[in-house]
Amino acid sequence: EPEVTQTPSHQVTQMGQEVILRCVPISNHLYFYWYRQILGQKVEFLVSFYNNEISEKSEIFDDQFSVERPDGSNFTLKIRSTKLEDSAMYFCASSTPPGQSTHSPLHFGNGTRLTVT
Amino acid sequence: QKEVEQNSGPLSVPEGAIASLNCTYSDRGSQSFFWYRQYSGKSPELIMSIYSNGDKEDGRFTAQLNKASQYVSLLIRDSQPSDSATYLCAVNEAGANSKLTFGKGITLSVRP
């Protein structure tokens, strides 16, 4: 069964450094997302991406964050100047185009655990 | 602020019992509802989706939706120890693939 793949599985970085989290969505999916989950807390929406542009973003997704689809398969999340509170599990997800009024289910990758020291 | 609320857990049931997980949501415009299962340290895994009022059954799982009461539930019949996990309720707004709002989740423990 096709799956969303994320690399690396664990990233340790020092405060102030830049990190890039990588994702390969399912090949026939057209919508891409990043979510994060701080340990013990809710899964939180960061950003959605469609047709090579951001379609929606949350308050969390400030100027520190950016997303890119550099080629036909990868989808990346860049975090500039990381802070301690950026430590979390970051999940990439993808979905097919929606039905007439319904949301297509998200398929999540296994996540990247980001630790900022 | 759109909210998705789940019963505070954890929930413990004996093997073979029915586990009932509940969720309420604040946005009346919500159209799509999902239950995800998340094992510790792992990613959310889709269990059920439901879009219309009523029940939807898939194997041992039944999702129930009541839009008038803004309530969605998940029943797990014949609970197995392997069902022990955190169950996340997720809801989205009407229209295109807008963001999902997740509840905090309820941890289910199935005792052998």
Side-chain angles (χ1 to χ4, degrees):
Chain A
E1 185 175 322
E3 58 181 30
V4 176
T5 57
Q6 289 186 243
T7 54
S9 56
H10 192 185
Q11 174 87 49
V12 181
T13 190
Q14 288 190 325
M15 196 166 52
Q17 296 298 303
E18 175 182 287
V19 294
I20 297 176
L21 310 184
R22 302 180 191 280
C23 170
V24 179
I26 295 173
S27 62
N28 65 336
H29 286 186
L30 299 179
Y31 290 80
F32 314 117
Y33 309 82
W34 285 99
Y35 285 77
R36 79 172 185 189
Q37 187 175 30
I38 295 170
L39 188 64
Q41 298 189 24
K42 293 184 183 186
V43 175
E44 300 175 289
F45 169 79
L46 292 179
V47 65
S48 58
F49 191 87
Y50 171 69
N51 201 25
N52 284 318
E53 60 182 23
I54 290 174
S55 50
E56 191 171 359
K57 60 183 181 179
S58 72
E59 296 170 349
I60 303 168
F61 194 89
D62 59 20
D63 292 344
Q64 181 194 8
F65 294 88
S66 62
V67 290
E68 194 176 32
R69 187 154 165 83
D71 53 42
S73 59
N74 290 286
F75 179 51
T76 62
L77 175 69
K78 181 189 291 185
I79 310 175
R80 287 181 282 276
S81 189
T82 49
K83 298 178 275 197
L84 294 176
E85 53 265 37
D86 294 328
S87 295
M89 183 75 94
Y90 287 81
F91 293 111
C92 175
S94 67
S95 67
T96 57
Q100 259 190 317
S101 62
T102 58
H103 191 299
S104 302
L106 265 57
H107 297 261
F108 285 87
N110 286 332
T112 294
R113 181 169 299 285
L114 176 66
T115 302
V116 182
T117 61
Chain B
Q1 178 84 1
K2 298 179 172 66
E3 298 287 342
V4 176
E5 299 290 339
Q6 295 185 246
N7 288 356
S8 59
L11 175 66
S12 180
V13 301
E15 186 173 354
I18 295 175
S20 176
L21 313 176
N22 303 314
C23 173
T24 58
Y25 58 94
S26 63
D27 180 16
R28 279 200 175 275
S30 299
Q31 293 293 322
S32 305
F33 308 87
F34 304 91
W35 284 98
Y36 285 83
R37 177 175 63 197
Q38 187 176 32
Y39 294 112
S40 181
K42 303 296 184 183
S43 62
E45 174 193 5
L46 181 69
I47 298 296
M48 292 284 285
S49 58
I50 187 166
Y51 307 105
S52 305
N53 279 329
D55 294 359
K56 179 182 177 183
E57 187 174 317
D58 183 0
R60 295 186 296 111
F61 299 97
T62 298
Q64 300 173 316
L65 174 61
N66 184 327
K67 289 186 179 179
S69 302
Q70 296 174 238
Y71 175 92
V72 57
S73 66
L74 180 70
L75 299 178
I76 306 174
R77 287 181 299 283
D78 187 24
S79 296
Q80 301 297 308
S82 58
D83 295 327
S84 298
T86 297
Y87 289 81
L88 310 177
C89 174
V91 173
N92 96 298
E93 303 167 27
N97 279 12
S98 57
K99 65 179 183 182
L100 283 185
T101 301
F102 283 82
K104 195 173 181 181
I106 181 166
T107 299
L108 172 66
S109 175
V110 181
R111 308 187 300 273

